[in-house]
Amino acid sequence: MAATTPRITAVDTYDIRFPTSRELDGSDAMNPDPDYSAAYLVLRTDADDGLEGHGFAFTIGRGNDVQVAAIDALRPHVIGRPVDALCADPGTLNRDLIGDSQLRWLGPEKGVMHMAIGAVVNAVWDLAAKRARKPLWQFLAEADPAWLVAQVDFRYIADALTPEQAFALLREGRVGAGRRAAHLRARGYPGYTTSPGWLGYGDEKLTRLARQAVADGFTQIKLKVGADLDDDLRRMRAARAAVGPDIRIAVDANQRWNVDEAITWTRALTPYDPYWIEEPTSPDDVLGHAAIRSAVAPVRVATGEHVQNRIVFKQLLQAGAIDVLQIDAARVGGVNENLAILLLAAHFGVPVCPHAGGVGLCELVQHLSMFDYVALTGTTENRVIEYVDHLHEHFLDPVTVRDGHYAAPATPGFSAAMRPESIAKYRYPDGSYWANATAAPDPHTKGAAA
Amino acid sequence: MAATTPRITAVDTYDIRFPTSRELDGSDAMNPDPDYSAAYLVLRTDADDGLEGHGFAFTIGRGNDVQVAAIDALRPHVIGRPVDALCADPGTLNRDLIGDSQLRWLGPEKGVMHMAIGAVVNAVWDLAAKRARKPLWQFLAEADPAWLVAQVDFRYIADALTPEQAFALLREGRVGAGRRAAHLRARGYPGYTTSPGWLGYGDEKLTRLARQAVADGFTQIKLKVGADLDDDLRRMRAARAAVGPDIRIAVDANQRWNVDEAITWTRALTPYDPYWIEEPTSPDDVLGHAAIRSAVAPVRVATGEHVQNRIVFKQLLQAGAIDVLQIDAARVGGVNENLAILLLAAHFGVPVCPHAGGVGLCELVQHLSMFDYVALTGTTENRVIEYVDHLHEHFLDPVTVRDGHYAAPATPGFSAAMRPESIAKYRYPDGSYWANATAAPDPHTKGAAA
């Protein structure tokens, strides 16, 4: 017998890790050996529609268990909520999670606890979009502007963007939305690829993959930099020779530098026309980014994948510290906070080029950019979604990239669901892959060998 | 038989929670019901000196288990380290923990993982000071300035403070240090008290405790504000009437406001001469604090207990956003990062008035201010350590406050060790207190009752 008021009955969590460090996929100046991982959750209900909400935080290996524990700590806020009310207003749960008067101490609104909130909130949006039988981008694009405004927490950002200004942006964004949705379905949303540029790849592989990227229709690629300047100059020269002058080459230092180093290093690369310098220094350093930007122009400054919340993004925009804002679908407090960030970017006229890659980040973030195009800024000019061709095979509704463009998802939801067989295989430490993996000595037990 | 090279053999962790919410101790505008807690650890060695290193992260209840899990995730970095090398250079471990290429993703340098690093690093300093048979403040004050500089991670702050500048500050700070140490032992370090001002206390209790504070020798008290302006005006009036015009009354909004509200509200309180407004808005909002400071002068702006790391403190100083810098012993990455922050504050000429209270925060942070007085800034002018008279009875070397001053600790170490019987009683959920507590319904399971 179905319950008369369907409720959330379970928040099941999973520690899922892929052994990507063995291939040097994803290697950069700060992250030499990531094992791309997901602290994954499934919201289950007692409705008779068979629908679940899926979400996850992305990590790069160790500590994924801590991230799972943080999601587990949110469970009492979610269990028992009526599904109709929850999906009609994810913003209430979002505020309740952020406002938990005890858990708040562990952030506030940053790091492990905030990513946990993002994972749970995103799972609710997945469920809400599935119930509406729309892919999330369409669910958002067709939502009432006043309702979208109510989904945003304006605390700490109202000095830069008021609810009234947000409403005006969204109302204006609806003009022509139907035409843009049709164009999106036909053509897709432009992407760029980081696949050629991992720091662990040799020059031959870099050159080959860069040429392949152009052949595949991409008009922008990205190179990881920051470990050794001579290497970077050589790799940048090789990449520029491979793709010619008309393809944009972004470079990404992954926070490797102090402010002065960032300026010196970026200027040294300027002869090869880098399109943007990404994460030149700490993601926390608003004033540092502003100093770098004014010193390295016309090279653009981009950051965001590690920016903890809307409050830091607000300041990056207020200080004129960035040319390109890089949202991440799984770093901040979920769709609600990313709505706030998209609105801030639109208000300040700064293009959003999402961070993606990892596990499932492409699958999630495409929906946010597509909403931005269809029903907020109305343009894809100077906007591209990062694309990395890794691990998509583990998702039930993987991204499709054709001719350098992300195809608009048609399946209802947030494209977050992993294949059950992938979960069974890569669940840590008891999935079949890890249970069978040779027990290697832990390289991080340093003292023992000293 | 003692090992020839003593090593760290265990990192034992404990989830300890005190039921403070039942008394409304610690209630403020954002934290109505804290259960002061510690994610506590003990470093054990196979040396034959019987010494242990104790440290903890402070939380306010729920999520303390997540914080313990984060400390557990650091264990492989610590187990097996040679004790001599570890204590001779805690900075190496500090850098290894911050630099873990996978755990770093969970911050970087913020939130749960960063507090875990702080807890472990502080435990190492506790052990190092015990082995040197000195209280930590003295251990630091008598350390070689060049060695202290080497303990600091200048990444992301070198644009504001170079190692050479830090060395010059420390070398100059040594002039007269012996005389100041003697004065400190005789007189202590000035404190101020928050005990009268919790938001949950009625006016009678506020007035009584404010008068008691003056009688006890304090020259500054603090009131929590931010829930209701009329209440705050009434409470501020009562407090001012109770203590007279010569006692400083700081007010603390615990991040309750947006920028505009902070300005309006603080100005409304100005007739009662608030000494500083603390945490007027998000701790992440450097530019917001700068705007508030310029609007509410001569009321001073103070913040820091939730400031995540040295990079944000650097910017608060660069932007001229604060008059008072409030370090916390257990929020950032431990003694090493607090050395960086004390040096930044000294370089910018901003007084440090630490946040304390909670569980054991007074015990820890007194050492840092005492070092600052004896061997860095050489002054206590406009400097006070927060004092709250809660939970000290659970520590083996509790703070002693006389005539409004913290007495200089004489016991070797960082005063971090909790009484074994307190751990046994308040360990959650299996300590004798919690095992016997009535199982109350969880007020945060909201959906179930909706």
Side-chain angles (χ1 to χ4, degrees):
Chain A
M1 190 178 74
T4 50
T5 301
R7 295 180 186 273
I8 301 291
T9 54
V11 180
D12 292 335
T13 52
Y14 305 86
D15 181 344
I16 299 166
R17 307 191 192 192
F18 299 95
T20 47
S21 63
R22 307 193 175 185
E23 298 292 328
L24 294 184
D25 295 343
S27 56
D28 64 48
M30 295 293 265
N31 311 299
D33 57 352
D35 284 324
Y36 285 169
S37 302
Y40 191 85
L41 74 111
V42 181
L43 300 179
R44 302 188 201 279
T45 83
D46 57 7
D48 53 10
D49 57 9
L51 299 177
E52 302 166 338
H54 293 239
F56 54 85
F58 169 63
T59 83
I60 60 174
R62 284 185 296 282
N64 203 48
D65 50 332
V66 180
Q67 190 61 58
V68 170
I71 296 171
D72 288 338
L74 299 173
R75 185 176 284 118
H77 280 286
V78 184
I79 297 287
R81 294 227 180 205
V83 179
D84 290 345
L86 181 61
C87 292
D89 176 25
T92 293
L93 175 66
N94 180 57
R95 271 182 279 263
D96 287 349
L97 296 178
I98 288 173
D100 182 299
S101 63
Q102 295 187 351
L103 292 175
R104 195 174 178 283
W105 191 270
L106 300 177
E109 300 191 51
K110 58 181 66 73
V112 168
M113 278 314 309
H114 204 47
M115 291 196 284
I117 290 171
V120 171
V121 167
N122 281 347
V124 170
W125 284 92
D126 180 55
L127 180 60
K130 284 174 179 165
R131 286 162 55 97
R133 298 166 197 256
K134 297 176 185 175
L136 183 74
W137 68 265
Q138 182 186 352
F139 182 69
L140 292 170
E142 295 177 357
D144 174 47
W147 181 84
L148 283 173
V149 170
Q151 291 303 307
V152 171
D153 184 354
F154 286 89
R155 175 170 269 188
Y156 304 140
I157 61 170
D159 56 320
L161 178 74
T162 65
E164 295 71 26
Q165 291 170 323
F167 178 74
L169 285 167
L170 288 162
R171 197 181 42 189
E172 193 176 338
R174 291 297 284 275
V175 179
R179 180 178 44 75
R180 287 190 297 275
H183 180 78
L184 177 72
R185 287 192 179 93
R187 179 67 179 117
Y189 193 104
Y192 76 95
T193 177
T194 305
S195 293
W198 300 110
L199 212 53
Y201 289 178
D203 288 7
E204 186 279 325
K205 189 169 184 180
L206 161 65
T207 298
R208 176 167 49 82
L209 292 176
R211 290 202 179 113
Q212 186 62 49
V214 177
D216 289 344
F218 292 102
T219 57
Q220 177 175 327
I221 64 171
K222 190 163 78 183
L223 261 59
K224 300 291 183 175
V225 298
D228 180 275
L229 180 56
D230 288 336
D231 283 350
D232 289 347
L233 288 167
R234 194 191 69 249
R235 295 170 68 250
M236 188 74 187
R237 191 183 316 122
R240 179 55 76 201
V243 302
D246 298 331
I247 298 294
R248 292 174 175 173
I249 306 179
V251 297
D252 182 355
N254 290 89
Q255 314 166 26
R256 183 61 181 259
W257 301 317
N258 280 344
V259 172
D260 294 347
E261 291 172 290
I263 293 169
T264 308
W265 205 300
T266 303
R267 284 180 173 163
L269 295 173
T270 301
Y272 303 103
D273 191 21
Y275 183 65
W276 74 52
I277 173 65
E278 176 172 332
E279 290 204 303
T281 191
S282 165
D284 306 343
D285 198 349
V286 172
L287 301 179
H289 278 84
I292 293 165
R293 182 178 179 231
S294 69
V296 305
V299 179
R300 291 160 186 78
V301 170
T303 199
E305 74 184 74
H306 275 88
V307 170
Q308 65 206 34
N309 58 36
R310 70 198 177 285
I311 306 154
V312 179
F313 276 118
K314 175 190 75 168
Q315 294 174 83
L316 287 165
L317 294 165
Q318 288 175 318
I322 53 173
D323 299 278
V324 175
L325 189 154
Q326 300 179 297
I327 58 169
D328 180 284
R331 170 69 58 183
V332 301
V335 169
N336 300 74
E337 188 159 22
N338 266 320
L339 282 173
I341 296 163
L342 290 173
L343 285 161
L344 282 165
H347 180 65
F348 281 88
V350 169
V352 172
C353 298
H355 170 251
V359 178
L361 297 179
C362 300
E363 277 69 18
L364 294 186
V365 86
Q366 61 179 339
H367 290 274
L368 301 175
S369 278
M370 290 175 187
F371 156 72
D372 180 81
Y373 165 60
V374 172
L376 179 52
T377 63
T379 180
T380 59
E381 190 181 348
N382 291 326
R383 287 156 169 86
V384 276
I385 305 170
E386 185 166 21
Y387 175 64
V388 186
D389 189 12
H390 295 156
L391 305 176
H392 302 294
E393 65 274 21
H394 301 294
F395 286 81
L396 286 171
D397 181 28
V399 295
T400 306
V401 171
R402 278 189 297 262
D403 191 25
H405 286 65
Y406 275 78
T411 305
F414 203 173
S415 309
M418 239 181 241
R419 293 184 173 279
E421 58 271 30
S422 294
I423 294 175
K425 182 171 179 183
Y426 291 105
R427 192 166 162 167
Y428 185 88
D430 55 338
S432 59
Y433 176 86
W434 293 108
N436 295 324
T438 306
D442 186 336
H444 295 272
T445 308
K446 295 197 173 165
Chain B
M1 190 178 76
T4 50
T5 301
R7 295 180 186 274
I8 301 292
T9 55
V11 180
D12 291 335
T13 52
Y14 305 86
D15 180 345
I16 299 166
R17 308 191 193 193
F18 299 95
T20 46
S21 62
R22 307 193 173 187
E23 298 293 327
L24 293 184
D25 297 343
S27 55
D28 64 48
M30 294 293 264
N31 310 297
D33 57 353
D35 284 325
Y36 284 169
S37 302
Y40 190 86
L41 73 111
V42 180
L43 300 178
R44 303 187 201 280
T45 82
D46 57 8
D48 53 10
D49 57 9
L51 298 178
E52 303 166 338
H54 293 239
F56 54 87
F58 169 64
T59 82
I60 60 174
R62 284 185 296 281
N64 203 49
D65 50 334
V66 180
Q67 190 61 59
V68 169
I71 295 172
D72 288 339
L74 299 173
R75 185 176 285 119
H77 280 286
V78 184
I79 297 287
R81 293 229 180 203
V83 179
D84 291 344
L86 181 61
C87 291
D89 176 25
T92 293
L93 175 66
N94 180 57
R95 272 182 280 263
D96 287 349
L97 296 178
I98 288 173
D100 181 299
S101 64
Q102 295 187 351
L103 292 176
R104 195 174 177 284
W105 191 270
L106 300 177
E109 301 192 51
K110 59 182 64 74
V112 168
M113 278 313 309
H114 204 47
M115 292 196 284
I117 290 170
V120 171
V121 167
N122 281 346
V124 171
W125 284 92
D126 179 56
L127 180 60
K130 283 174 180 164
R131 285 162 55 97
R133 298 166 197 255
K134 297 176 185 176
L136 183 75
W137 68 265
Q138 182 186 352
F139 182 68
L140 292 171
E142 295 178 356
D144 174 48
W147 181 83
L148 283 173
V149 170
Q151 291 304 305
V152 171
D153 184 354
F154 287 89
R155 175 170 269 187
Y156 304 140
I157 61 170
D159 55 320
L161 178 75
T162 66
E164 295 71 27
Q165 290 170 324
F167 178 73
L169 285 167
L170 287 162
R171 198 181 43 187
E172 192 175 339
R174 292 297 285 276
V175 179
R179 179 177 47 73
R180 287 191 296 276
H183 180 78
L184 177 72
R185 287 192 178 94
R187 180 66 178 116
Y189 193 105
Y192 77 95
T193 178
T194 305
S195 293
W198 299 110
L199 213 52
Y201 290 178
D203 289 7
E204 185 281 325
K205 190 170 184 179
L206 161 65
T207 299
R208 176 167 50 83
L209 292 175
R211 290 201 179 113
Q212 186 62 48
V214 177
D216 290 343
F218 291 103
T219 58
Q220 177 175 326
I221 64 171
K222 189 163 78 184
L223 262 59
K224 299 291 183 174
V225 298
D228 180 276
L229 180 55
D230 288 336
D231 283 350
D232 289 347
L233 289 167
R234 194 191 70 249
R235 295 169 68 249
M236 188 75 187
R237 192 183 314 122
R240 180 55 75 201
V243 303
D246 297 332
I247 299 292
R248 292 174 175 174
I249 306 179
V251 296
D252 183 355
N254 289 90
Q255 314 166 27
R256 182 62 180 258
W257 302 317
N258 281 345
V259 172
D260 294 347
E261 292 172 289
I263 293 168
T264 308
W265 204 300
T266 303
R267 284 180 174 162
L269 295 173
T270 302
Y272 304 104
D273 191 22
Y275 182 66
W276 75 51
I277 173 64
E278 177 172 333
E279 289 205 302
T281 191
S282 165
D284 306 342
D285 197 348
V286 172
L287 301 179
H289 278 85
I292 293 165
R293 182 177 178 232
S294 68
V296 305
V299 179
R300 291 161 188 77
V301 170
T303 199
E305 74 184 74
H306 276 87
V307 170
Q308 64 205 34
N309 58 36
R310 70 199 177 284
I311 306 154
V312 179
F313 276 117
K314 176 191 75 168
Q315 294 174 83
L316 287 165
L317 294 165
Q318 287 174 318
I322 53 173
D323 300 279
V324 175
L325 189 153
Q326 300 179 297
I327 58 169
D328 180 285
R331 169 72 58 185
V332 300
V335 169
N336 299 76
E337 188 159 23
N338 266 319
L339 283 173
I341 296 163
L342 290 173
L343 285 161
L344 282 165
H347 180 65
F348 282 89
V350 169
V352 172
C353 297
H355 170 252
V359 178
L361 298 180
C362 300
E363 277 69 19
L364 295 186
V365 87
Q366 61 178 338
H367 290 274
L368 301 175
S369 278
M370 290 176 187
F371 155 72
D372 180 79
Y373 166 60
V374 172
L376 178 53
T377 63
T379 179
T380 59
E381 191 180 347
N382 291 327
R383 287 156 170 87
V384 277
I385 305 170
E386 185 167 21
Y387 175 64
V388 187
D389 189 13
H390 295 155
L391 306 175
H392 302 293
E393 65 274 20
H394 300 295
F395 286 82
L396 286 171
D397 183 28
V399 295
T400 306
V401 172
R402 279 190 295 263
D403 190 25
H405 285 65
Y406 276 77
T411 305
F414 203 173
S415 309
M418 240 181 240
R419 292 183 173 280
E421 58 271 29
S422 293
I423 294 174
K425 183 172 180 183
Y426 292 103
R427 192 165 163 167
Y428 185 88
D430 55 338
S432 59
Y433 175 86
W434 294 108
N436 295 324
T438 306
D442 186 335
H444 295 271
T445 308
K446 294 194 175 167

